[in-house]
Amino acid sequence: MDSETRELRALEAEVAALQRECRMLQNAGEKASGAWKSFQKISQSDSEEWESLKDLRSQLEHLRSEHSFLSKLTGFNIRNYSKMEDIVNTEETEKDTKKVLQKHRLSGNCNMVTFQLEFEVLEIETKEKKSSTITDLSIIMEPTEYSELSEFASRAEEKRDLLMFFRSLHFFVEWCEYRENTFKHFKEKYPDSVHLLEGACSHCMEIRSTSQPGFELVIVWKIQIDEEGIVFPKLDLLTKVPERALGLDKNRVIETAPLSFRSLLGVLGIEAALDSLIRLISGDNN
């Protein structure tokens, strides 16, 4: 009996030890499972943050692409921009009205023209509607050879018309580029007859006769902006001829040349009219 009792107790002790080990393994498994779940949560959180970061990068690239496209399309490049908002106090009779004064400041350029703008926008919001009005506009233009822009900027400030400023400046620059390219074209085509004393950016082009020294025509091509911001070209013809030639001009061809040139512009357009005039003076009939 003693031996059997000892064997039974030994088995009971072994069973108890195995039970303790099983409980320990179970606890370790629960801890491992908790750690795994925590790891999964962290990984999921990191994954979500990474996806969010990728989305932000994608949005940033998209915005950069749109900005580049709009800059190429309009010619405007905005370098710096800032905005401030102030809540405007309203009277008791306007307690249902919210007024916000926004102060904007930006600088940029449209091709060769650099500018700085400061303007205020008053937003008025009621239960029925929301409206906004430009209450102040200040335009600073960098010094350029385009004197027309100074007067235009003053008119835009007086009218507080921001849309007119951008629209008119865009078309003004387009006309300047067209004039420059046109002058370059004729200088390359007729190098002996066409002279640009101030370069292609000049608003004057001289046409000299190669067969009649002293006989010159000057094309004055200005770009003007009217009161409404409409941009248009204005071309005039000036003559430089010897006094003797004027005395021989019985039919007043030289005197009426400026008026005839304007008629020619209306019929042929700018490039064809200039080409006809240059060929006439240079004697090039090809």
Side-chain angles (χ1 to χ4, degrees):
M1 289 293 293
D2 292 340
S3 60
E4 291 178 355
T5 301
R6 287 195 297 272
E7 185 177 355
L8 178 61
R9 288 178 179 175
L11 290 172
E12 288 177 346
E14 186 176 352
V15 168
L18 289 172
Q19 287 177 338
R20 285 194 301 271
E21 290 182 7
C22 286
R23 284 196 297 271
M24 291 174 64
L25 290 173
Q26 184 178 4
N27 291 336
E30 290 176 353
K31 291 181 179 179
S33 177
W36 174 249
K37 289 180 180 179
S38 297
F39 175 74
Q40 285 181 319
K41 289 181 179 180
I42 293 172
S43 298
Q44 183 179 1
S45 176
D46 289 345
S47 177
E48 290 175 354
E49 289 182 3
W50 177 249
E51 290 297 325
S52 177
L53 182 59
K54 287 200 297 184
D55 288 342
L56 288 175
R57 286 177 176 174
S58 176
Q59 291 178 21
L60 180 60
E61 289 300 321
H62 178 68
L63 290 173
R64 283 175 176 171
S65 177
E66 282 193 343
H67 178 265
S68 177
F69 171 75
L70 290 174
S71 294
K72 292 178 180 178
L73 180 66
T74 63
F76 285 97
N77 179 33
I78 305 302
R79 296 191 303 272
N80 296 298
Y81 172 75
S82 62
K83 172 184 173 183
M84 294 178 58
E85 287 190 357
D86 291 327
I87 304 297
V88 180
N89 293 326
T90 58
E91 300 177 358
E92 293 182 359
T93 56
E94 297 180 290
K95 59 183 179 180
D96 294 331
T97 300
K98 180 182 178 182
K99 294 183 179 181
V100 178
L101 184 64
Q102 299 177 345
K103 298 180 180 180
H104 302 262
R105 178 179 297 175
L106 63 87
S107 62
N109 65 281
C110 184
N111 199 332
M112 64 288 186
V113 179
T114 303
F115 59 85
Q116 297 179 34
L117 299 179
E118 293 183 8
F119 57 98
E120 296 181 354
V121 179
L122 180 62
E123 287 191 350
I124 302 177
E125 184 177 358
T126 63
K127 293 181 179 180
E128 293 78 18
K129 64 178 182 178
K130 183 177 181 180
S131 62
S132 59
T133 307
I134 296 179
T135 58
D136 186 49
L137 174 61
S138 175
I139 303 173
I140 301 175
M141 308 288 291
E142 294 294 330
T144 67
E145 65 272 21
Y146 307 109
S147 57
E148 305 93 334
L149 289 178
S150 178
E151 185 178 349
F152 160 67
S154 297
R155 288 201 303 269
E157 286 181 337
E158 291 175 3
K159 294 184 177 183
R160 298 193 294 275
D161 195 333
L162 198 57
L163 177 60
M164 182 182 77
F165 170 77
F166 283 111
R167 182 186 62 232
S168 300
L169 182 58
H170 167 75
F171 287 113
F172 181 88
V173 169
E174 276 197 342
W175 271 110
C176 287
E177 291 178 342
Y178 176 63
R179 178 179 63 188
E180 180 179 346
N181 291 333
T182 303
F183 281 175
K184 281 183 178 179
H185 165 72
F186 287 121
K187 177 60 180 175
E188 292 172 358
K189 187 175 182 180
Y190 305 103
D192 295 331
S193 300
V194 173
H195 299 270
L196 305 173
L197 299 182
E198 298 178 8
C201 295
S202 171
H203 65 277
C204 294
M205 179 176 72
E206 291 188 1
I207 307 170
R208 299 174 186 173
S209 173
T210 54
S211 59
Q212 299 292 332
F215 193 94
E216 298 179 9
L217 298 179
V218 180
I219 302 297
V220 180
W221 184 346
K222 293 186 177 181
I223 301 166
Q224 298 185 337
I225 308 175
D226 68 9
E227 293 290 334
E228 301 303 319
I230 304 300
V231 183
F232 59 94
K234 186 175 183 297
L235 284 81
D236 291 307
L237 175 66
L238 304 179
T239 60
K240 292 183 179 180
V241 297
E243 290 292 335
R244 183 179 178 183
L246 288 175
L248 297 174
D249 185 18
K250 303 300 182 181
N251 295 324
R252 301 171 57 218
V253 174
I254 298 174
E255 182 181 343
T256 59
L259 185 60
S260 299
F261 174 66
R262 288 191 178 181
S263 300
L264 192 64
L265 284 171
V267 174
L268 300 180
I270 294 176
E271 290 190 43
L274 291 177
D275 191 72
S276 298
L277 191 63
I278 296 170
R279 285 192 289 108
L280 177 65
I281 299 302
S282 64
D284 187 346
N285 296 319
N286 297 325

